[in-house]
Amino acid sequence: MAADVRRRPRTARSQPVRAAPGRGCQRAAPAGRVQRPCRGALHAAGGGHRVHVARRPGRGRVLPRRGRLDLREQLGDPGRGRRVRRAVRCVRDVTSAYRILNGTTLNCAGGGTPWNTWLSCEEHDLGLVFETDPRGEDDARARPAMGRFKHEAAACDPERRVVYLTEDQGDGCFYRFVPATWGDLSAGTLQVLVGTGPGAVRWENVPNPRFWFTPTRDQVDGAMRFDGGEGCHYSGGTCYFTTKGDGRVWAYRAAAERLEIVYDDDLVTGEAPLTGVDNVTAASSGDLYVAEDGGNMEINIITPDGIVAPVLRVAGHDESEITGPAFSPDGTRLYFSSQRGESGFIAGTDGRTYEVTGPFRR
């Protein structure tokens, strides 16, 4: 019998978090040209936000309480009480593009590798992981050894030489792929997380990752169930991942083989600052940045000491979702997209990509 940590699905809630306006969204333009504001305002968080503080007694459970946080201090106040200003630009004019993957369907979050390829994950029952070359020089290759299931995101752990994988099913699992040779994903072993909830966990091999009749999530007794696996990011010995059905952010502490819940919107007193958890990334400070799919189109910060607060909100994109938050290698710029933009058109032809220049916490 699989260990089930799911709860009844809930509709996303829109939370009225107050945000002090920051600089308007601006489209990118060549040097010397005027940059005009684009549609869809983006607000940066200032001081005095309502926040929550999550404490982690025992087994990684979260008992949040109400708190306050001056984000000017937390995000890097330039000093002397001046309002934090972060330059926000919206990329509108694409001058060139090329494909790095053809012949796939319903591809989702994916993730990068230490050897500079990109893993593109198919989000359907027989979905595969494809390894692509962002430069477009090498052909994309399917990696069936990484399993056939409803893939969402991937995160590489160079210390243990494994790749973590989330599954976007209401009774999905959390996996890791152990390559036969690090840097070559063509062969290896797919494993699934086994346990009874937060605390000590272990990994067991999936007998037939290229399944046709028995889904990978049903092949190992005791495999933990997660309510809609979404974003996944590895940083500093921990793999963080989110589950949208129960509004949780999880942390797998790899060295200790322990699982914790670092955020749970059901345990927040009053209105939760973060709902519709989705993609996740981390800054060099150890802060998590969690994007919302739904909610009120915000990116929230979760600090190492458990403070949760909104950093920015995209206004006027009510039928969209925030996707792909990622920092530049030097940590000075944050990138993300509004998948369907202001129109909310399902095909994503109105999508927008944003660049946010710090300061960020160090």
Side-chain angles (χ1 to χ4, degrees), residues 5-7 10 61 198 225-226 241-250 261-267 277-278 290:
V5 296
R6 293 175 296 156
R7 286 179 295 178
R10 299 169 297 126
R61 296 290 295 180
R225 304 294 185 172
F226 296 92
F241 63 100
T242 64
T243 48
K244 62 185 178 186
D246 50 19
R248 288 175 169 177
V249 180
W250 300 79
I261 302 171
V262 298
Y263 177 78
D264 186 337
D265 68 10
D266 265 356
L267 296 180
V277 298
D278 201 313
V290 184

Side-chain angles (χ1 to χ4, degrees), residues 210-234:
R210 311 183 194 207
F211 89 101
W212 287 102
F213 301 106
T214 304
T216 53
R217 63 186 182 277
D218 295 334
Q219 293 184 22
V220 176
D221 289 341
M224 285 188 65
R225 304 294 185 172
F226 296 92
D227 196 351
E230 290 286 338
C232 185
H233 182 81
Y234 177 83

Side-chain angles (χ1 to χ4, degrees), residues 60-339:
R61 296 290 295 180
V62 178
L63 297 178
R65 63 174 172 86
R66 302 288 290 191
R68 293 186 67 82
L69 168 68
D70 188 337
L71 290 184
R72 289 176 299 186
E73 175 185 349
Q74 292 294 323
L75 298 178
D77 191 347
R80 298 182 182 175
R82 297 197 305 270
R83 176 174 293 178
V84 173
R85 294 288 189 176
R86 287 180 291 283
V88 180
R89 304 186 188 280
C90 176
V91 180
R92 291 286 298 276
D93 301 322
V94 178
T95 59
S96 65
Y98 54 88
R99 289 185 178 273
I100 61 173
L101 179 60
N102 292 291
T104 63
T105 183
L106 295 175
N107 296 70
C108 210
T113 70
W115 48 93
N116 299 320
T117 61
W118 182 262
L119 304 180
S120 183
C121 299
E122 290 185 314
E123 189 185 0
H124 58 82
D125 288 342
L126 294 177
L128 291 168
V129 174
F130 286 80
E131 188 170 13
T132 70
D133 176 13
R135 297 158 297 188
E137 297 173 359
D138 296 327
D139 293 337
R141 297 181 181 274
R143 300 304 189 196
M146 300 182 78
R148 279 188 175 271
F149 55 88
K150 198 172 182 179
H151 288 274
E152 177 76 21
C156 290
D157 176 350
E159 299 170 76
R160 274 148 288 276
R161 298 190 170 188
V162 299
V163 183
Y164 300 104
L165 302 161
T166 55
E167 181 176 23
D168 191 359
Q169 295 275 13
D171 61 345
C173 293
F174 184 57
Y175 303 88
R176 73 177 183 184
F177 179 68
V178 186
T181 302
W182 185 238
D184 179 359
L185 303 179
S186 62
T189 303
L190 182 68
Q191 299 179 326
V192 66
L193 193 71
V194 174
T196 58
V201 290
R202 67 183 190 279
W203 297 95
E204 290 194 13
N205 294 348
V206 176
N208 183 15
R210 311 183 194 207
F211 89 101
W212 287 102
F213 301 106
T214 304
T216 53
R217 63 186 182 277
D218 295 334
Q219 293 184 22
V220 176
D221 289 341
M224 285 188 65
R225 304 294 185 172
F226 296 92
D227 196 351
E230 290 286 338
C232 185
H233 182 81
Y234 177 83
S235 177
T238 299
C239 185
Y240 300 96
F241 63 100
T242 64
T243 48
K244 62 185 178 186
D246 50 19
R248 288 175 169 177
V249 180
W250 300 79
Y252 169 68
R253 312 294 184 187
E257 292 198 329
R258 293 187 63 85
L259 187 67
E260 298 177 5
I261 302 171
V262 298
Y263 177 78
D264 186 337
D265 68 10
D266 265 356
L267 296 180
V268 172
T269 302
E271 294 173 331
L274 171 60
T275 60
V277 298
D278 201 313
N279 291 167
V280 58
T281 192
S284 58
S285 60
D287 298 325
L288 297 183
Y289 284 73
V290 184
E292 291 184 332
D293 176 2
N296 46 15
M297 285 290 289
E298 290 180 343
I299 293 179
N300 275 247
I301 189 175
I302 303 178
T303 70
D305 54 356
I307 292 175
V308 182
V311 172
L312 57 85
R313 178 191 297 179
V314 182
H317 292 208
D318 296 341
E319 301 301 318
S320 186
E321 65 178 277
I322 293 179
T323 61
F327 282 92
S328 60
D330 64 2
T332 63
R333 297 170 188 269
L334 173 67
Y335 296 90
F336 69 93
S337 296
S338 170
Q339 187 183 69

Side-chain angles (χ1 to χ4, degrees), residues 26-48:
Q26 296 179 323
R27 73 175 191 172
R33 291 184 57 185
V34 176
Q35 296 178 335
R36 296 183 177 88
C38 73
R39 295 175 297 167
L42 188 149
H43 301 290

